[in-house]
Amino acid sequence: TTSSTGSTTTSSTGSTTTSSTGSTTTSSTGSITASADLPKVGSGPVPPKFDSSNFQSPTISELRAIGIGIKTFPGKLDLLVYCPLKGRCPHCKSALLTANSVGKRKLCYAIPWPKTIVGVDMRCGKCNKHFMTHDTNYVNTLPSEEQIKREFVTAKGNGSHISLLRLLRSGLTVAQVERYIQDEVREHYLLLKSKYIELWDKVEAMRGVGKVNVASRDAFPPFPAHYVPGRPHLTAMFVRDYWENKSHIMRELRTIVSNHSLAVDHQRKVVKRTLGGDIVGNGGQTFTICGDFGVICGVYVVPDTALSWVKKAMDEVVDRHQSAGVEVPRSLYMDCGCCSGTPHSTLSNTGTSVAALWRSSFSVKLDAMHLMLRIGREMNANHPRRKKFLVDLSHAIFMQHEGDQQQLMKAREAAGLEGPPTRTERVKFICRVVGELESVAERMVLVLKAHRELDCQCHSQAEAAGMEVDNLTVADVAYPLVTRRLMGVFQQQLVHVRNGCISDNPDHLPYVKVGTVNFHSTGHHLEHYQSLRGTSKVEAVHSVLDRTFYTQRGIGAEVFDARLGWWILAYNRRRLRALGKKVPPDTMPPKVCEHYVSRGLCTDFPDWSIAAAGSEANVKIGYDYGRLVTVKEQWVEPDFNMEAVHTDDDQVVPDPLEERSMVATSAEALEELGLDVGDLVDEAPSFFEHELPNASATSNVPEDMDMAMAIEELPNVTTASIELPPNVTTASIELPPNVTTASNEDDEEMAIDDSTTPDAACIDNSVLAWRNVPIPDSSPGRRRNVSRLRTMGGDPTCVPPDFNSNMLAIWEELWHSMPQSGRVGVTVNSLLQRYKERCQALRKRPRHPSASPPALLPVSFALAKDWLLKQQKAQSEALQTGAVNEDAREVVADLNRSLAEQPASTTALLEQPARLASPVVPPPVMSLGPEPVTDCVRAEERAEKRARRQTEKPRAVSRQKAPKKKAIPPELEERQQRASARMLELGIPPLQALDGKRRCPVCHQLRTASDKTPDGQIHRVLGRSNQVWCPYADDRAILEAFEKEQKERIQAAWQRANEAKRMKKKQHT
């Protein structure tokens, strides 16, 4: 029989039965038989029904026998049975449970075809309450081995299979998961339909032998759209899944600790896309705490950037270190609030509210990248010397190890690499420190004075050449870099430097050794370092977090917390895995890991850890932390019945198909390489390009910078007047006596003449030396023959213009003869056209048959453009460095020599051995979960219940108390006295109790119409107030007034009725 999944089983006789999905096979005799539950009219397949009638109907005894598992029926959806009986009542924790009835069957969305869910309705023998076996509160009382066997998440409505939840945990949006499920279900539906059509055609071909189809060919049902879950359902089940795993996720997060430093920062981008204004207001921020190597200690949502909101978060981070027996990190890197911003004489009294709050545990430091960012923000972004200034400033702050530089240069020379080391090589293989505060401050002042002198040289040189020096733009040579505003900000940052806000701790250097690297397989093994300084790791987290939540706008606080919790779990595991630690996969729940690791069933994750049970109450993230600090009502489990309750569209996560391409910031790219932006030297300006607003290229000089006044105020900074550090004397910095400039004479043009036959006797031996060069062994690498593939496609193999000396000579000649043009593309096309013409002319020259063609190879547009940009960069290098004349060159050279000198204290710091990189992983404290409820436990609880009943005292028999008389109103009591006196006067005795008879509450006589007084009067009820008029106690005038009023009301009613009839009759006439 073929079930809905398409599996087939054959009977012992060889015949095959057709299921409701339409799948069948032919028996050994060639006949096709229908199943027992199908009509006997024909032999063809019966189309299935994709609705609730496809559900199975097992009995409670069958469910008890299965317990936990999957049950399949022919032609029905697979049934997920979850009926564990080893738990306790979620209300009173009693083990006296009874299986009451079979629970309601639900649809479970899955891939590629849905399933059904069924449980048992349990009744507690102690509190007499009912609950389902797949209820979360009951599941939490089960042993861990039975908890992890539940393959679905459900609430009051339908459920979702674990296969869907893994997609949501990995970061996919609900819209992406919905489209994926729809594709899978559609493909499976078409597969079932194709089987049905194939079998129908097969039976139809056998019509001649008496086989008839029981249904038409088009009877296959339409696509079951209700098998695809909606976005509200997926969102609700995702939040439900996080809510069930939240405690274990927080326990794993509590084990994330740091050894050297912490870095903190705020971000606004992510929170403004969420709907959490009722919790943290409209100015919410995310506050991120990162530890060593970029691991995340927590991400919290706070109302604003005030430090009072994050005090509890920092206290929890300190507490987790103390609980794990790990030393609290010494340094705390921030982008602001490092000190009061005023000069201090000693470091002990530096600090503001941040220092007063955390100085007992941390040494608050300012990130050097943000210090340079503050200075770079005041400079024009298009100034040619801006990059040079920031590079010099970085050299002044960070001092490199000379031994590491020499080893790197030797390794590059052995690898055949020319030029200076790349940025990646410098950060990886050269350790650097921030020296003493006074030394760093003096070096920074040297950079400022040197560039002020370069501004003066540019101004004087432009004025001497007759150029415009007023109304300057950034394109002018005389446009100043150092303005009065820049000098003011520079002075403010010097206060932070002198307060020690960026200096490294000499007893705990901020870098570790990751290992050794065989540089380009040359045999030179270089030490690989990684910096622990600065807040660049937080910037990387912010960049990844922003890209993760970029397409998810308008999500609620619960959805945000769910996505944030799973994202932090995956991010930390990836960081630890990059450091060589063995941790579980990203989407594996910590609950599952704890079960297998604690029982020794899995030894693949020795570096994974989890905190003790109960410690998760101290860890809060996202809006959950925002509720804590804003004293909002704590979030409780919501109603996940998304089918019965309308879901607001704001909770539906939008996911546009055309997502905007996100350009990764430099901080993120460096983080992926394990680098630190604050430690960079030459590449620091590239980061500022993303952070600073681009000033207009035609903007004038700032208003607060009068050029003449600024030049008069600038001191005459020469090579001799530049201030040096105290331990660096001018004698140690000697300028060369004769500084000559490079010759401007062009080299002679190389003649290319291939008309003669080369004579071997005239060839220099050095030219033929290539024959004796040994051929190196082929190294495994890229095995695709790219040149052959391009040739097969019709594309020639292209080389750059400087591929050989002949090509370089032609290109340099053509480029020098070209007029200057601002459009690079036009210039490149013109150069390529002239180059092709020159090559064609040289190839047409007559040459000897044995002579080779000229060494002129094709050049592509991209390679030509790169070469041209390099030439233009070389031309503008002098202006970028400020070398506009010989005096300016001497200033730049003297500055470079001064920055190259290192104080003895800094050299001693760099000579200290680097610590090995080893993330701190506290030992795990695992919980084995609840104990299973056995028959012995139930028997003991029953015995305790019986003993308790026997020892309890019998209840005392309460005496029957006489009913209390109701208090009689004074008015009624007065009427009763008058009635008694009147009846006594008339000689009327009181009546005995007559059940079922209506009696007057005043005189206690019968008050029917036949019961009259001696003077012929009867009791009357006065209108709808049910007030009784008693003839023995009440005055006759009261009854007459009532009758008169009643008569008037009746007359008024008749008048209104008659008026209505007249109006109606008048309308008809």
Side-chain angles (χ1 to χ4, degrees):
T1 305
T2 303
S3 65
S4 59
T5 58
S7 60
T8 305
T9 57
T10 307
S11 63
S12 58
T13 58
S15 61
T16 303
T17 307
T18 305
S19 69
S20 62
T21 57
S23 174
T24 186
T25 56
T26 306
S27 63
S28 57
T29 59
S31 62
I32 300 178
T33 58
S35 61
D37 57 345
L38 298 181
K40 300 298 183 179
V41 179
S43 304
V46 176
K49 295 180 180 180
F50 299 137
D51 52 20
S52 59
S53 63
N54 248 20
F55 290 180
Q56 306 175 18
S57 300
T59 62
I60 191 170
S61 59
E62 293 177 345
L63 297 181
R64 290 173 61 93
I66 297 174
I68 302 176
I70 301 178
K71 185 175 180 59
T72 59
F73 284 95
K76 303 289 185 180
L77 298 177
D78 292 342
L79 182 65
L80 298 177
V81 180
Y82 191 77
C83 303
L85 306 177
K86 297 181 180 180
R88 294 180 177 271
C89 174
H91 305 285
C92 63
K93 306 303 178 184
S94 174
L96 303 178
L97 305 179
T98 305
N100 185 54
S101 61
V102 179
K104 178 183 177 182
R105 291 172 297 279
K106 303 179 181 181
L107 185 66
C108 180
Y109 300 104
I111 299 175
W113 205 244
K115 308 176 187 297
T116 53
I117 304 172
V118 69
V120 173
D121 178 72
M122 305 292 292
R123 183 182 64 84
C124 177
K126 183 178 181 181
C127 64
N128 203 29
K129 292 185 178 180
H130 292 252
F131 54 88
M132 297 299 299
T133 53
H134 50 65
D135 181 45
T136 303
N137 297 325
Y138 174 73
V139 173
N140 292 335
T141 64
L142 297 171
S144 59
E145 60 267 14
E146 295 188 349
Q147 292 186 24
I148 64 175
K149 291 180 181 179
R150 191 178 59 162
E151 300 180 358
F152 56 88
V153 171
T154 183
K156 296 180 181 179
N158 295 331
S160 291
H161 195 258
I162 190 67
S163 58
L164 307 185
L165 299 175
R166 288 196 182 101
L167 300 177
L168 294 171
R169 294 174 186 172
S170 63
L172 295 180
T173 63
V174 291
Q176 293 172 338
V177 175
E178 181 192 25
R179 290 195 295 267
Y180 178 74
I181 298 173
Q182 187 173 10
D183 295 342
E184 291 292 327
V185 174
R186 175 75 69 174
E187 183 177 355
H188 192 78
Y189 166 78
L190 295 177
L191 177 63
L192 297 178
K193 186 175 182 179
S194 63
K195 289 182 179 180
Y196 172 80
I197 297 299
E198 179 182 354
L199 294 172
W200 194 94
D201 293 341
K202 189 174 183 180
V203 174
E204 188 69 17
M206 303 173 66
R207 181 180 291 271
V209 294
K211 303 300 179 183
V212 181
N213 279 302
V214 296
S216 63
R217 196 173 189 272
D218 300 332
F220 200 82
F223 176 72
H226 61 282
Y227 280 5
V228 180
R231 299 183 185 182
H233 173 83
L234 292 174
T235 303
M237 292 299 101
F238 176 59
V239 176
R240 176 81 180 202
D241 175 62
Y242 170 73
W243 186 77
E244 295 179 355
N245 293 278
K246 177 183 175 181
S247 60
H248 288 77
I249 294 177
M250 297 300 105
R251 289 173 57 191
E252 181 172 344
L253 180 60
R254 189 168 169 81
T255 62
I256 301 298
V257 295
S258 182
N259 187 23
H260 176 270
S261 64
L262 294 175
V264 299
D265 197 5
H266 288 84
Q267 187 188 31
R268 168 65 181 158
K269 290 183 178 179
V270 178
V271 179
K272 69 180 181 180
R273 305 191 189 110
T274 61
L275 302 177
D278 56 336
I279 301 176
V280 296
N282 296 327
Q285 304 263 342
T286 54
F287 179 74
T288 306
I289 304 178
C290 286
D292 296 340
F293 311 104
V295 293
I296 301 175
C297 297
V299 179
Y300 316 91
V301 178
V302 292
D304 49 53
T305 57
L307 295 175
S308 59
W309 300 115
V310 300
K311 181 180 181 301
K312 293 184 179 180
M314 294 299 298
D315 291 344
E316 189 276 325
V317 173
V318 173
D319 179 69
R320 74 170 67 169
H321 284 78
Q322 297 173 352
S323 301
V326 180
E327 182 181 1
V328 179
R330 303 181 183 181
S331 302
L332 175 63
Y333 288 94
M334 305 181 66
D335 59 353
C336 63
C338 55
C339 67
S340 61
T342 57
H344 296 275
S345 58
T346 60
L347 284 176
S348 59
N349 58 354
T350 59
T352 60
S353 59
V354 179
L357 189 62
W358 296 325
R359 184 64 67 183
S360 59
S361 302
F362 306 104
S363 175
V364 181
K365 296 291 183 180
L366 174 65
D367 181 32
M369 180 194 68
H370 285 84
L371 182 138
M372 292 190 294
L373 177 63
R374 298 172 184 176
I375 299 174
R377 186 180 287 114
E378 305 303 327
M379 293 184 291
N380 191 292
N382 297 319
H383 199 283
R385 279 192 292 113
R386 177 175 175 273
K387 178 179 179 180
K388 171 64 177 173
F389 182 90
L390 294 176
V391 170
D392 293 340
L393 192 64
S394 180
H395 277 291
I397 297 175
F398 300 101
M399 303 178 190
Q400 303 179 2
H401 193 284
E402 295 183 357
D404 292 340
Q405 297 182 45
Q406 296 175 2
Q407 293 294 332
L408 178 59
M409 293 306 297
K410 291 181 181 180
R412 287 180 57 84
E413 184 179 356
L417 302 176
E418 299 179 355
T422 63
R423 181 255 306 163
T424 304
E425 294 172 349
R426 287 194 304 273
V427 177
K428 272 189 174 183
F429 306 121
I430 300 178
C431 63
R432 52 184 57 82
V433 296
V434 180
E436 296 180 351
L437 50 94
E438 290 297 335
S439 175
V440 174
E442 291 174 358
R443 291 163 65 92
M444 292 176 61
V445 171
L446 284 179
V447 174
L448 181 66
K449 289 184 176 181
H451 281 273
R452 289 176 65 185
E453 176 63 20
L454 293 178
D455 284 343
C456 295
Q457 294 293 337
C458 292
H459 184 273
S460 59
Q461 189 69 26
E463 188 175 14
M467 300 175 63
E468 181 68 27
V469 294
D470 297 327
N471 298 325
L472 299 174
T473 65
V474 71
D476 297 322
V477 177
Y479 189 86
L481 176 67
V482 181
T483 61
R484 183 178 302 170
R485 184 173 178 179
L486 174 63
M487 289 189 291
V489 175
F490 193 91
Q491 184 66 26
Q492 293 176 359
Q493 304 313 308
L494 284 179
V495 174
H496 294 286
V497 175
R498 290 193 172 96
N499 286 343
C501 296
I502 65 172
S503 298
D504 293 333
N505 187 358
D507 299 330
H508 209 68
L509 295 180
Y511 59 85
V512 293
K513 183 174 67 174
V514 180
T516 57
V517 177
N518 187 4
F519 189 80
H520 289 268
S521 301
T522 57
H524 289 264
H525 294 272
L526 303 179
E527 301 289 346
H528 181 194
Y529 301 99
Q530 185 168 0
S531 174
L532 305 178
R533 181 193 299 112
T535 61
S536 60
K537 44 184 171 287
V538 186
E539 303 294 343
V541 171
H542 286 173
S543 179
V544 179
L545 189 64
D546 180 46
R547 289 190 292 115
T548 302
F549 285 89
Y550 179 76
T551 59
Q552 305 175 28
R553 301 173 184 267
I555 61 177
E558 290 77 19
V559 181
F560 177 82
D561 287 351
R563 291 203 171 274
L564 181 64
W566 287 110
W567 177 81
I568 293 177
L569 182 74
Y571 188 89
N572 285 336
R573 289 181 179 180
R574 287 196 298 266
R575 296 301 303 166
L576 294 175
R577 200 178 296 117
L579 295 171
K581 299 297 182 180
K582 296 181 180 180
V583 293
D586 296 345
T587 59
M588 179 179 288
K591 181 189 297 185
V592 178
C593 301
E594 183 183 24
H595 170 73
Y596 290 115
V597 175
S598 61
R599 286 160 176 76
L601 301 177
C602 179
T603 58
D604 298 334
F605 315 129
D607 301 320
W608 179 79
S609 180
I610 191 170
S615 61
E616 67 275 4
N618 302 324
V619 185
K620 305 288 184 180
I621 62 172
Y623 281 101
D624 199 11
Y625 179 82
R627 295 185 184 94
L628 175 66
V629 297
T630 55
V631 198
K632 298 289 184 180
E633 183 180 357
Q634 295 296 319
W635 177 68
V636 296
E637 180 186 6
D639 185 7
F640 293 97
N641 187 13
M642 305 307 293
E643 296 177 352
V645 180
H646 174 68
T647 303
D648 192 358
D649 291 339
D650 292 336
Q651 293 291 340
V652 180
V653 181
D655 180 43
L657 293 176
E658 299 294 335
E659 298 179 358
R660 190 186 70 174
S661 61
M662 297 294 294
V663 180
T665 60
S666 298
E668 178 210 347
L670 298 174
E671 178 64 18
E672 294 296 333
L673 298 175
L675 309 180
D676 191 344
V677 180
D679 290 347
L680 300 186
V681 179
D682 294 344
E683 291 299 322
S686 63
F687 176 78
F688 292 110
E689 297 295 339
H690 298 280
E691 298 288 342
L692 300 179
N694 292 328
S696 174
T698 59
S699 60
N700 296 329
V701 181
E703 297 178 357
D704 60 340
M705 178 61 183
D706 183 74
M707 184 56 59
M709 183 183 300
I711 295 176
E712 291 177 0
E713 293 179 356
L714 288 176
N716 186 14
V717 183
T718 60
T719 303
S721 64
I722 294 181
E723 298 179 8
L724 301 176
N727 52 357
V728 181
T729 60
T730 55
S732 62
I733 306 178
E734 298 181 356
L735 296 177
N738 296 324
V739 182
T740 60
T741 58
S743 175
N744 294 329
E745 297 180 0
D746 297 333
D747 297 334
E748 296 181 359
E749 181 180 356
M750 180 181 296
I752 303 177
D753 188 1
D754 296 316
S755 59
T756 59
T757 305
D759 189 0
C762 300
I763 298 178
D764 192 278
N765 293 331
S766 61
V767 178
L768 302 178
W770 63 271
R771 301 187 181 202
N772 301 325
V773 176
I775 301 176
D777 296 334
S778 60
S779 59
R782 190 170 183 175
R783 300 183 178 180
R784 294 179 59 198
N785 193 343
V786 180
S787 301
R788 180 175 177 272
L789 293 176
R790 289 179 176 175
T791 304
M792 293 174 61
D795 297 334
T797 302
C798 299
V799 297
D802 54 354
F803 184 73
N804 54 48
S805 57
N806 294 344
M807 295 176 59
L808 180 61
I810 294 177
W811 275 89
E812 288 181 347
E813 176 189 356
L814 297 177
W815 181 55
H816 291 318
S817 63
M818 284 287 296
Q820 293 292 338
S821 176
R823 302 180 62 181
V824 179
V826 177
T827 305
V828 172
N829 288 327
S830 180
L831 287 173
L832 287 173
Q833 183 64 27
R834 295 188 180 187
Y835 175 71
K836 291 179 181 179
E837 294 176 357
R838 178 70 65 87
C839 293
Q840 189 67 16
L842 293 176
R843 291 192 185 96
K844 289 183 178 180
R845 289 185 181 182
R847 65 174 183 269
H848 195 272
S850 61
S852 301
L856 303 177
L857 283 74
V859 179
S860 65
F861 179 88
L863 296 175
K865 182 179 179 181
D866 292 342
W867 180 84
L868 181 61
L869 292 176
K870 291 180 182 179
Q871 303 302 316
Q872 293 180 351
K873 182 178 180 181
Q875 280 187 338
S876 60
E877 184 177 1
L879 184 60
Q880 293 176 356
T881 57
V884 295
N885 52 28
E886 290 300 320
D887 294 337
R889 291 187 61 195
E890 293 180 3
V891 172
V892 174
D894 195 4
L895 175 62
N896 294 335
R897 285 190 295 270
S898 300
L899 295 178
E901 295 291 335
Q902 295 181 358
S905 59
T906 304
T907 305
L909 288 179
L910 291 171
E911 293 299 333
Q912 294 183 10
R915 296 175 290 111
L916 294 178
S918 179
V920 181
V921 179
V925 183
M926 301 184 186
S927 174
L928 299 179
E931 294 292 335
V933 177
T934 60
D935 294 337
C936 295
V937 175
R938 295 190 182 95
E940 292 177 359
E941 190 168 342
R942 291 192 187 97
E944 292 177 0
K945 185 177 180 180
R946 286 194 298 267
R948 187 170 56 253
R949 287 182 177 179
Q950 294 176 0
T951 57
E952 287 180 354
K953 295 182 180 180
R955 297 181 180 180
V957 179
S958 61
R959 298 179 179 178
Q960 185 176 3
K961 298 181 180 180
K964 295 183 180 180
K965 295 183 178 181
K966 296 182 180 180
I968 301 175
E971 182 181 358
L972 178 59
E973 186 176 2
E974 182 180 357
R975 293 174 62 194
Q976 289 178 353
Q977 292 176 359
R978 290 199 304 266
S980 299
R982 179 63 176 166
M983 291 170 58
L984 182 61
E985 180 181 354
L986 296 176
I988 300 175
L991 295 179
Q992 299 297 327
L994 299 175
D995 297 337
K997 300 293 184 178
R998 291 186 298 176
R999 303 175 66 180
C1000 175
V1002 179
C1003 63
H1004 302 291
Q1005 298 292 323
L1006 296 177
R1007 61 180 182 91
T1008 60
S1010 60
D1011 298 324
K1012 298 181 181 180
T1013 61
D1015 54 358
Q1017 298 182 9
I1018 63 174
H1019 292 76
R1020 297 284 299 273
V1021 179
L1022 304 182
R1024 298 180 181 179
S1025 63
N1026 294 329
Q1027 184 178 0
V1028 178
W1029 179 84
C1030 180
Y1032 298 109
D1034 298 330
D1035 191 2
R1036 178 71 182 177
I1038 299 175
L1039 179 61
E1040 293 175 354
F1042 169 74
E1043 291 177 348
K1044 181 180 180 181
E1045 183 182 357
Q1046 185 180 22
K1047 183 177 180 180
E1048 292 176 354
R1049 288 199 303 268
I1050 294 175
Q1051 290 178 356
W1054 277 106
Q1055 290 177 2
R1056 289 194 299 269
N1058 294 334
E1059 184 67 22
K1061 291 179 179 179
R1062 285 194 298 268
M1063 294 297 297
K1064 187 175 181 180
K1065 184 176 181 181
K1066 186 177 180 180
Q1067 291 177 359
H1068 285 291
T1069 57

